[in-house]
Amino acid sequence: MEIVEIKGLFLDKAKEFLESVESLKTIDLDVLNEGVALVDLDEIIGVISYEKFKKYGLIRYFVFKRKIVDEYILDIFNKISELAIKRDVKYLFLLVSNGDVYDLFKELGFTQFDSSNLFIEEDNISKTKYENSIVMIKEIGGSFC
């Protein structure tokens, strides 16, 4: 397995991969283009990407076809962190609504963030469809483990 930047060359394959996920209604190609993919025998089996907001990167896509070993999770997060740092991102954050996902990101060093001052567009998160989500954040600059 290898981790590749999606930029350009893998964009169409990564889009196809995400289109197979029924819960994704739309795919933002600009966001996807900033991500990385986990590839096994020329098949994408996972994608992670973020959207930049000044010094913050919001993880928008974290999708895997099958359970992968922890080593690859660490590798893919180290790669996305490396790319984000090159774009002057200091923190990665995400919204989680699933206990298993929360535990995974906690293991990766993310911590729960007070979302009372977090706004999506012009609405406080508590007044959006994400009101029950937990916001997690991690300062980047070193490795994830």
Side-chain angles (χ1 to χ4, degrees), residues 95-110:
L95 306 173
V96 297
S97 56
N98 173 310
D100 292 337
V101 175
Y102 176 87
D103 292 341
L104 170 68
F105 283 99
K106 190 172 181 185
E107 286 179 31
L108 290 168
F110 283 78

Side-chain angles (χ1 to χ4, degrees), residues 21-27:
V21 178
E22 291 180 19
S23 60
L24 286 176
K25 304 281 187 256
T26 60
I27 298 167

Side-chain angles (χ1 to χ4, degrees), residues 7 11 27-35 49-50 61 87:
K7 253 195 200 323
L11 185 59
I27 298 167
D28 185 323
L29 294 180
D30 291 330
V31 171
L32 184 57
N33 203 39
E34 294 301 325
S49 192
Y50 71 94
Y61 301 115
R87 292 188 65 215

